[in-house]
Amino acid sequence: MRTTSKTHEEYFAALAEPRQGELRALHALIRESAPDLAPTMEFGMPGYGRYHYRYASGREGDAATVSPASNKNSISLYELLRAAAATPPAGAV
């Protein structure tokens, strides 16, 4: 869903049921599971936590660590992993 919402509440309020309720439930679950990730709006989607990225080319910016999104036929959940967290533990295959 493309949106110009500035807050999570505006984003959720623009959705029809049952999607609105589903996204609100996901919001509550994320807030309960990861209370340290501050709510944010990134790229028109509700987000939680901030991650600053920098490419080898020098391009850099900020993105949400976790972002749910309402799409036409589904709900997507996007998450960014920090490079250190994405490295498999020693001995992992």
Side-chain angles (χ1 to χ4, degrees):
M1 168 181 128
R2 293 198 186 272
T3 179
T4 57
S5 301
K6 303 285 185 216
T7 67
H8 287 203
E9 185 54 39
E10 285 179 17
Y11 184 89
F12 300 142
L15 299 171
E17 289 295 348
R19 187 62 60 86
Q20 183 181 121
E22 294 166 345
L23 263 292
R24 286 184 189 280
L26 186 54
H27 167 76
L29 179 63
I30 293 169
R31 296 301 297 143
E32 180 182 324
S33 302
D36 294 341
L37 297 180
T40 181
M41 287 296 289
E42 303 289 341
F43 308 107
M45 297 183 297
Y48 305 87
R50 272 238 150 117
Y51 179 74
H52 185 77
Y53 61 87
R54 181 180 4 241
Y55 292 109
S57 67
R59 178 180 174 203
E60 58 186 289
D62 293 298
T65 304
V66 176
S67 295
S70 179
N71 301 306
K72 183 177 179 180
N73 295 313
S74 64
I75 294 173
S76 295
L77 183 63
Y78 302 97
E79 68 176 314
L80 294 175
L81 299 175
R82 299 174 195 267
T87 303
V93 177

